[in-house]
């Protein structure tokens, strides 16, 4: 029997509400804008390379994504991209920043059932203003004892958060759709990592599944989380 879990961290984007599908839709628009200069597959590869380069400078989120699209458009057109195309890319970024929040199935009911038994902490990365907007519009703020909007997710970040808001990572559990950001670093910090796959996951969030760890769990939807908690405590 392990020490009981006292604190549960929840990722936000594509764990509690839809997010990545809006990026996919915008990428389709982007490919249409640049169709006379390159094919969609090549364009997406170039965009992903730009995003990877730019994360250390711009961080995660829509603003960095928009800047990466502009950089890619300049690149594939060899500097000849029309100003009208740049304007459309910027408008698409603004549309993404204003898109209404749509909760994923069972998100609210799961939090409601757990909030009286555990400390719940939202742990999300990305642009501060955008994440705060989405949280406010979600209606979920009151269910969390703390909100942590971080620049990245790694074992050190998780150790700090679960020390501050719980009884350490060993008695903490993190739930999210990203193996790379939500599951693996939490396990490396000494906690439990629960993967709840989403239909669309950004390529840069992929990582090998940590089947070797007895602190790794996988569920298909959030309603299964209580059963996992009963098993491990």
């Amino acid at each position: 029997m392990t020490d009981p879990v006292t604190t549960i961290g929840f990722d936000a984007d594509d764990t509690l509400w839809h997010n990545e599908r809006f990026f996919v839709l915008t990428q389709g628009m982007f490919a249409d804008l640049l169709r006379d200069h390159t094919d969609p597959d090549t364009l997406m590869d170039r965009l992903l390379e730009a995003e990877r380069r730019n994360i250390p400078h711009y961080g995660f989120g829509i603003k960095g994504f928009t800047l990466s699209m502009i950089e890619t458009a300049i690149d594939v057109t060899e500097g000849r991209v029309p100003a009208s195309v740049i304007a459309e890319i910027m408008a698409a970024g603004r549309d993404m920043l204003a898109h209404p929040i749509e909760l994923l199935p069972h998100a609210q009911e799961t939090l409601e059932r757990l909030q009286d038994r555990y400390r719940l902490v939202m742990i999300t990365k990305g642009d501060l203003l955008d994440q705060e907007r989405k949280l406010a519009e979600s209606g979920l703020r009151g269910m969390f004892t703390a909100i942590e909007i971080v620049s990245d997710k790694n074992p050190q970040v998780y150790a700090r958060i679960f020390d501050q808001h719980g009884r350490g990572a060993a008695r903490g559990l993190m739930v999210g759709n990203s193996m790379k950001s939500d599951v693996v670093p939490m396990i490396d910090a000494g906690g439990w990592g629960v993967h709840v796959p989403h239909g669309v996951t950004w390529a840069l969030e992929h990582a090998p599944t940590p089947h070797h760890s007895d602190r790794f769990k996988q569920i298909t939807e959030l309603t299964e989380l209580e059963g996992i908690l009963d098993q491990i405590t």
Side-chain angles (χ1 to χ4, degrees), residues 8-12 16-17 111 120-125 128 131-136 138 140-150 160-161 164-165:
I8 302 174
F10 282 88
D11 173 51
L16 298 177
W17 53 65
L111 296 176
L120 304 185
V121 181
M122 178 180 288
I123 307 173
T124 183
K125 65 184 181 183
L128 176 63
Q131 295 301 83
E132 287 180 339
R133 175 192 68 84
K134 289 188 284 189
L135 175 60
S138 73
L140 302 178
R141 176 64 183 88
M143 300 183 195
F144 293 98
T145 59
I147 305 296
E148 292 277 352
I149 301 175
V150 299
R160 174 188 64 77
I161 290 173
Q164 182 176 350
H165 302 296

Side-chain angles (χ1 to χ4, degrees), residues 5-10 119 121 123 148 155-175 186 189 191-192:
V5 168
T6 63
T7 306
I8 302 174
F10 282 88
R119 295 186 187 94
V121 181
I123 307 173
E148 292 277 352
Q156 294 74 30
V157 167
Y158 283 124
R160 174 188 64 77
I161 290 173
F162 283 89
D163 281 344
Q164 182 176 350
H165 302 296
R167 299 185 180 179
R171 298 183 67 176
L173 180 147
M174 182 65 191
V175 184
M186 181 58 178
W192 295 88

Side-chain angles (χ1 to χ4, degrees), residues 2 13 19 116 123 142 169:
T2 61
D13 293 338
N19 181 65
D116 293 331
I123 307 173

Side-chain angles (χ1 to χ4, degrees), residues 31-108:
D32 189 55
L33 284 175
L34 278 300
R35 64 184 181 278
D36 293 335
H37 299 276
T38 187
D39 64 274
D41 289 342
T42 300
L43 183 67
M44 291 304 107
D45 287 343
R46 301 278 279 274
L47 176 58
L48 189 63
E49 291 172 5
E51 290 181 279
R52 184 180 286 111
R53 286 194 307 271
N54 288 333
I55 285 172
H57 305 291
Y58 307 141
F60 296 89
I62 293 170
K63 293 176 184 177
F65 173 65
T66 303
L67 289 169
S68 293
M69 284 195 292
I70 292 172
E71 179 181 320
T72 304
I74 294 170
D75 183 27
V76 300
T77 63
E78 298 180 340
R80 297 190 298 272
V81 58
S84 60
V85 171
I86 299 296
E88 290 196 56
I89 293 171
M90 295 176 65
R94 287 191 295 270
D95 287 344
M96 291 177 71
L97 288 167
H99 203 284
I101 291 302
E102 182 181 347
L103 294 179
L104 284 165
H106 314 300
Q108 183 168 342

Side-chain angles (χ1 to χ4, degrees), residues 177-185 187-188 193 195 203-213 216-218:
N177 70 296
S178 170
M179 201 71 75
K180 182 178 180 181
S181 292
D182 303 319
V183 176
V184 173
I187 292 173
D188 289 344
H195 187 226
L204 297 185
E205 291 293 347
H206 294 172
T209 302
H211 290 298
H212 62 281
S213 174
F216 167 68
K217 301 293 181 180
Q218 185 156 328

